[in-house]
Amino acid sequence: GIQVEQSPPDLILQEGANSTLRCNFSDSVNNLQWFHQNPWGQLINLFYIPSGTKQNGRLSATTVATERYSLLYISSSQTTDSGVYFCAVDRGANNLFFGTGTRLTVIP
Amino acid sequence: DAGITQSPRHKVTETGTPVTLRCHQTENHRYMYWYRQDPGHGLRLIHYSYGVKDTDKGEVSDGYSVSRSKTEDFLLTLESATSSQTSVYFCAISEYGTGHQRSLHFGNGTRLTVT
């Protein structure tokens, strides 16, 4: 399968700070998605972004497919942004490979 | 809200007993998936379905079977539960958008403990 590495593994921020999360993957992909798992365990789809840039409020994501990485930007972080952020990729075979996540803690 | 309901939400069972987890969706999505989540491993695909009675294995399918007799229901069965199957199980659907967009959306999970 495709190897997915996320960094950093843990991140602690003061409320209002900005952050960048990175996802590296080992092969070309057709599908890249970012998810947020909140402290209650719910998994929320943030972005479908196999290439290019998208923005949704304070969150944005950029995927550079030719260089096999994606970045998730969180601006003006809030305590509700806390949780684990997962990147997942596939090559169109209906098997998304997940990274092990970045755990974000936002302190008030 | 992708209209996905998992049941039960929590279950404790003994080694060797059969267990069935249910996933129900209300929006007629063709593709449904079962993942397990374990510390240090992220989420891993167990089985998926691409239509009624059409299923295929994922990367960690040993010890699990699935069935899909109706579009809205996807069942995951552990024929004889083992302690290594203690995990959080998530059901998901693929939502198709414009072009080739396929977004995965998850249910709220089932926490299974095998003692």
Side-chain angles (χ1 to χ4, degrees):
Chain A
I2 303 172
Q3 305 302 309
V4 182
E5 294 182 357
Q6 293 187 242
S7 59
D10 294 279
L11 186 59
I12 299 174
L13 295 176
Q14 203 75 39
E15 197 168 29
N18 302 329
S19 61
T20 301
L21 283 57
R22 187 176 179 103
C23 171
N24 292 333
F25 43 95
S26 61
D27 206 341
S28 59
V29 298
N30 298 356
N31 185 350
L32 188 146
Q33 299 182 42
W34 283 97
F35 298 88
H36 174 223
Q37 187 167 37
N38 65 26
W40 297 271
Q42 293 176 310
L43 281 156
I44 307 299
N45 191 300
L46 298 176
F47 292 104
Y48 168 87
I49 186 165
S51 63
T53 297
K54 287 187 178 179
Q55 180 152 10
N56 186 0
R58 295 181 295 102
L59 274 59
S60 64
T62 295
T63 298
V64 183
T66 53
E67 298 187 22
R68 301 183 184 168
Y69 73 90
S70 183
L71 302 174
L72 178 69
Y73 305 96
I74 305 174
S75 65
S76 303
S77 59
Q78 301 176 357
T79 55
T80 52
D81 295 330
S82 295
V84 182
Y85 290 81
F86 291 101
C87 167
V89 302
D90 77 26
R91 299 178 65 182
N94 274 299
N95 187 1
L96 269 178
F97 290 95
F98 282 76
T100 52
T102 291
R103 182 175 298 277
L104 175 65
T105 303
V106 181
I107 301 170
Chain B
D1 184 356
I4 305 167
T5 304
Q6 292 186 232
S7 59
R9 292 297 314 279
H10 302 271
K11 186 168 182 67
V12 180
T13 192
E14 293 185 350
T15 298
T17 59
V19 177
T20 295
L21 308 183
R22 180 178 182 245
C23 179
H24 178 79
Q25 57 133 335
T26 60
E27 298 184 1
N28 208 34
H29 296 288
R30 179 181 171 194
Y31 285 84
M32 299 183 74
Y33 307 80
W34 278 107
Y35 282 85
R36 61 178 288 174
Q37 184 176 29
D38 305 289
H41 290 278
L43 287 100
R44 293 177 292 173
L45 182 66
I46 304 172
H47 282 278
Y48 71 97
S49 169
Y50 48 97
V52 173
K53 300 192 189 307
D54 293 322
T55 65
D56 206 348
K57 296 179 179 180
E59 62 178 306
V60 290
S61 60
D62 287 349
Y64 302 94
S65 62
V66 290
S67 66
R68 192 163 178 207
S69 59
K70 297 185 290 185
T71 298
E72 58 266 36
D73 290 326
F74 192 31
L75 304 181
L76 177 70
T77 298
L78 292 67
E79 300 291 348
S80 177
T82 67
S83 58
S84 65
Q85 293 175 313
T86 292
S87 187
V88 180
Y89 291 86
F90 286 95
C91 175
I93 58 92
S94 269
E95 186 172 68
Y96 282 71
T98 56
H100 298 286
Q101 178 167 339
R102 294 177 287 116
S103 300
L104 202 65
H105 297 272
F106 287 91
N108 288 331
T110 295
R111 183 173 296 276
L112 176 67
T113 302
V114 183
T115 61

